[in-house]
Amino acid sequence: MFNLPRLLLHSVAMAGNTGAPLLLRLVAASVSVAEKAGTIVRNVFDSGELGVVEKDGKNDLQTQADRSAQECIVQSLSRQFPKVTIIGEEEPTDETVDESHLVTGLSEEVLKAVCPQDLQSVKDEDVVVWVDPLDGTKEYTQGFLDHVTVLIGVAVKGKAVAGVINQPYYNYKAGPGATLGRTMWGIVGLGAFGVERLVPPADKWIVTTTRSHSNKLVTDSIEAMQPDEVLRVGGAGHKVLLVIEGKAHAYVFATPGCKKWDTCAPEAILHALGGRLTDIHGNALQYHKDVKHPNTGGVLATYSDHDWYLSRMPESVKEAVKP
Ligand code: AMP
Ligand code: MG
Ligand code: MG
């Protein structure tokens, strides 16, 4: 009779593996898929055949890497999670699916994590996955490769709760000995892995913003912050990473243009590490499936002093950039 409880315990542990909560399985699949998408992004670049298409002028581009990485992510996830809503940046193509792009693996590291209590019984219909297969396309075509990220964000009931980011060219300037690329993931209430929070310099005020989508609203708002230095770089994912890793104090983008797939994954990882991402009025961003895609209220991401940045935002900018 002493064997019975041990047997029961064993079977619970097995079920814990295969029957992990939906959210953990989704993040575990997204980690594997994001790694594959990152490989696709590198392979397309190496092939030299970028296949650039202008979606909406020369600052809104799509390449073969955007198309193939999106196929990899959306097809792989939708086959494993057919009832979950998945919204990707790129229009689906009519071409037949390249089966070599599909991934079925689940990250063991994620499956081993303990799902936060409030997310343990999330249902398929509560979830929207926001996919930016390649964030920083303009920079990718220009060879600013470390600006590029693959973003998979998971929203539950309209709130960004989990994110996976692959940075395909992390370390690419570090020489042949360094491991190229990295993947990080996070869940709000649990923490983030594969990336570490670093504190920015105390003697210098650094703000990061867009490099290829600037306008007067962007420059007026940055000027009002009076930073010592402005890092104008590509990609929403990349800029949130600069804030997380202490290279910048804040990411300020006071204009529409950035979309829900740009912010969902970075926001979740930043929040999981204790930071904040809102629009420029301080409103939380919404991620339910019927929400409009553009972040018309702009983006502000910080670790600390979020309210100070909000208070410095000029009235004229706030008038022009409404949620
Ligand atoms: P950036 O900081 O310029 O790299 O922009 C961050 C994300 O928002 C990228 O995915 C951009 O493509 C997108 N984005 C920002 N502004 C615009 C715009 N005016 N038109 C199209 N996409 C934009
Ligand atoms: Mg993007
Ligand atoms: Mg993109």
Side-chain angles (χ1 to χ4, degrees):
M1 67 184 279
F2 286 110
N3 279 342
L4 185 59
R6 276 170 63 195
L7 267 175
L8 274 178
L9 265 181
H10 182 64
S11 64
V12 168
M14 298 264 294
N17 257 342
T18 51
L22 170 67
L23 187 85
L24 277 194
R25 285 187 285 117
L26 198 48
V27 174
S30 298
V31 165
S32 303
V33 164
E35 274 164 6
K36 174 74 174 183
T39 304
I40 292 172
V41 169
R42 286 190 297 262
N43 288 346
V44 171
F45 195 82
D46 291 347
S47 77
E49 311 264 318
L50 291 197
V52 178
V53 172
E54 287 187 10
K55 290 195 287 189
D56 186 19
K58 63 179 174 24
N59 285 330
D60 196 3
L61 305 180
Q62 184 199 66
T63 70
Q64 187 55 47
D66 300 68
R67 294 186 286 275
S68 295
Q70 160 126 342
E71 177 186 76
C72 159
I73 299 165
V74 173
Q75 290 292 333
S76 301
L77 292 181
S78 61
R79 287 183 189 199
Q80 291 181 72
F81 304 94
K83 288 191 272 172
V84 166
T85 302
I86 302 173
I87 303 176
E89 174 175 4
E90 312 305 338
E91 291 290 326
T93 58
D94 298 334
E95 289 166 30
T96 49
V97 175
D98 181 342
E99 296 283 328
S100 74
H101 288 162
L102 302 184
V103 175
T104 54
L106 300 176
S107 156
E108 281 292 328
E109 182 192 58
V110 178
L111 286 182
K112 274 189 221 144
V114 178
C115 190
Q117 192 83 36
D118 57 328
L119 297 172
Q120 278 181 6
S121 49
V122 166
K123 295 184 182 54
D124 300 74
E125 55 271 26
D126 298 332
V127 177
V128 182
V129 179
W130 292 92
V131 177
D132 188 342
L134 196 169
D135 182 43
T137 303
K138 175 90 179 179
E139 284 71 24
Y140 178 68
T141 64
Q142 296 174 328
F144 294 96
L145 297 176
D146 48 346
H147 298 192
V148 169
T149 56
V150 174
L151 305 174
I152 306 177
V154 182
V156 171
K157 295 190 175 166
K159 210 168 144 259
V161 300
V164 176
I165 301 180
N166 176 276
Q167 196 174 20
Y169 288 97
Y170 176 68
N171 260 346
Y172 88 116
K173 288 179 183 154
T179 309
L180 185 62
R182 62 172 171 172
T183 302
M184 58 216 97
W185 62 277
I187 299 178
V188 176
L190 176 70
F193 307 86
V195 63
E196 203 185 332
R197 159 72 181 141
L198 299 171
V199 179
D203 58 346
K204 202 174 168 195
W205 207 247
I206 309 165
V207 166
T208 185
T209 193
T210 183
R211 140 177 202 282
S212 53
H213 298 101
S214 196
N215 57 31
K216 189 167 179 330
L217 294 165
V218 170
T219 49
D220 283 356
S221 59
I222 301 274
E223 258 169 43
M225 312 288 162
Q226 297 185 304
D228 296 312
E229 193 181 341
V230 182
L231 301 176
R232 295 181 197 281
V233 294
H238 176 228
K239 284 188 274 292
V240 173
L241 286 179
L242 293 181
V243 172
I244 289 176
E245 302 196 298
K247 305 268 173 35
H249 294 77
Y251 166 24
V252 184
F253 188 61
T255 190
C258 193
K259 318 291 189 308
K260 294 292 180 294
W261 45 74
D262 292 305
T263 45
C264 188
E267 174 180 331
I269 292 182
L270 181 66
H271 284 188
L273 289 167
R276 230 177 126 191
L277 188 149
T278 66
D279 72 10
I280 64 151
H281 306 270
N283 301 306
L285 303 186
Q286 300 297 322
Y287 294 96
H288 51 80
K289 71 174 167 32
D290 300 317
V291 82
K292 59 183 181 201
H293 296 161
N295 292 315
T296 50
V299 177
L300 173 65
T302 64
Y303 244 101
S304 53
D305 306 310
H306 202 85
D307 292 341
W308 181 85
Y309 290 94
L310 294 173
S311 73
R312 295 298 291 248
M313 206 57 79
E315 284 306 319
S316 56
V317 173
K318 287 201 270 189
E319 263 311 299
V321 185
K322 290 272 178 64

